[in-house]
Amino acid sequence: MDYVKAFLIGGIICAVVQILLDRTKLMPGRVMVILVCTGAVLGFLNIYEPLAKFAGAGATVPLSGFGNLLWKGVKKAVDKDGFLGLFMGGFTASAVGISAALIFGYLASLLFEPKMKK
């Protein structure tokens, strides 16, 4: 049943994003920023954590889950370090994921020899 819940919630998030891309003039980069900010705001309002517990990877894998992760890191760092935690928390919480994305992206570019479109 966990897979079904993850599929449904992740599918709903993806469907909303696709509707935004198809029905508005928003560029994909702006939609991604909206997702990250929405995740952070929902985390601040204590709405995202119950959703993540219910849906598992369906809620934590999309970019809204990344926004929630940033929020949790900032909250923890502010509680520990005060005002400076505002600047350190998001980086600390997301460092592993960002580093992995950079490293594996670089390795993929070495293996597959990307070419610019003409």
Side-chain angles (χ1 to χ4, degrees):
M1 193 65 185
D2 290 338
Y3 294 120
V4 173
K5 290 189 282 188
F7 178 77
L8 288 175
I9 299 300
I12 289 169
I13 292 170
C14 291
V16 168
V17 169
Q18 193 62 50
I19 290 169
L20 281 173
L21 289 170
D22 290 345
R23 303 284 182 204
T24 67
K25 293 181 180 182
L26 293 172
M27 300 299 289
R30 291 186 182 189
V31 174
M32 287 191 263
V33 169
I34 289 170
L35 278 172
V36 172
C37 292
T38 300
V41 169
L42 291 177
F44 170 75
L45 298 173
N46 292 321
I47 296 172
Y48 206 86
E49 195 62 34
L51 177 67
K53 285 183 181 173
F54 172 77
T60 58
V61 170
L63 280 174
S64 54
F66 180 68
N68 184 50
L69 176 71
L70 291 173
W71 162 250
K72 288 193 301 189
V74 167
K75 181 180 176 192
K76 182 179 175 183
V78 166
D79 291 342
K80 181 182 173 205
D81 301 323
F83 182 72
L84 286 178
L86 187 64
F87 303 102
M88 298 184 315
F91 293 119
T92 304
S94 61
V96 173
I98 293 171
S99 297
L102 289 171
I103 291 167
F104 289 120
Y106 179 72
L107 291 175
S109 73
L110 291 176
L111 290 174
F112 297 105
E113 299 178 26
K115 296 181 178 89
M116 295 296 292
K117 291 183 180 181
K118 294 179 182 180

